[in-house]
Amino acid sequence: MQAEILHIVDCAGGREAARLLRAALDATGHQTAAITHTLIDSPAAAAEVRFAGSPTILIDGTDLFPSAGRIEQLACRVYSTPGGLSGWPTGEQLREAIAARG
């Protein structure tokens, strides 16, 4: 399993998403999966990948939380969580999404 976090400099959600993603991967039996961090530093870079705002969490190249689509702006992403809108998904949401991928 390949995990990747696409992030921008100005969005702090990437660090917390990485922490929660590592725990979710471990909890779902993917302890050896590495997490790659990819800095998106320009609209051109965003256009080249499956960027949907920072942080975008990809598993095997697919957005773990599919949204309306890709963007080319350097913007933070907002996730809908049980506690309201957040800059990252919850650990439970990550575990469920990873488990659903098999």
Side-chain angles (χ1 to χ4, degrees):
M1 178 174 281
Q2 299 288 328
E4 182 177 13
I5 296 178
L6 307 177
H7 65 94
I8 63 173
V9 170
D10 296 332
C11 206
R15 280 179 245 122
E16 184 63 13
R19 185 186 72 75
L20 293 169
L21 179 58
R22 173 78 272 151
L25 287 166
D26 292 348
T28 56
H30 302 284
Q31 294 88 347
T32 61
I35 301 172
T36 302
H37 299 264
T38 302
L39 177 64
I40 305 300
D41 59 0
S42 69
E48 292 177 7
V49 295
R50 297 187 181 278
F51 188 65
S54 180
T56 296
I57 303 166
L58 305 177
I59 298 293
D60 297 329
T62 301
D63 194 335
L64 199 54
F65 299 92
S67 64
R70 297 163 43 172
I71 64 169
E72 295 179 16
Q73 296 84 18
L74 302 183
C76 293
R77 186 170 181 174
V78 177
Y79 290 86
S80 179
T81 71
L85 297 178
S86 176
W88 52 85
T90 66
E92 182 64 26
Q93 287 175 308
L94 286 163
R95 286 187 298 277
E96 288 175 1
I98 291 168
R101 292 190 47 83

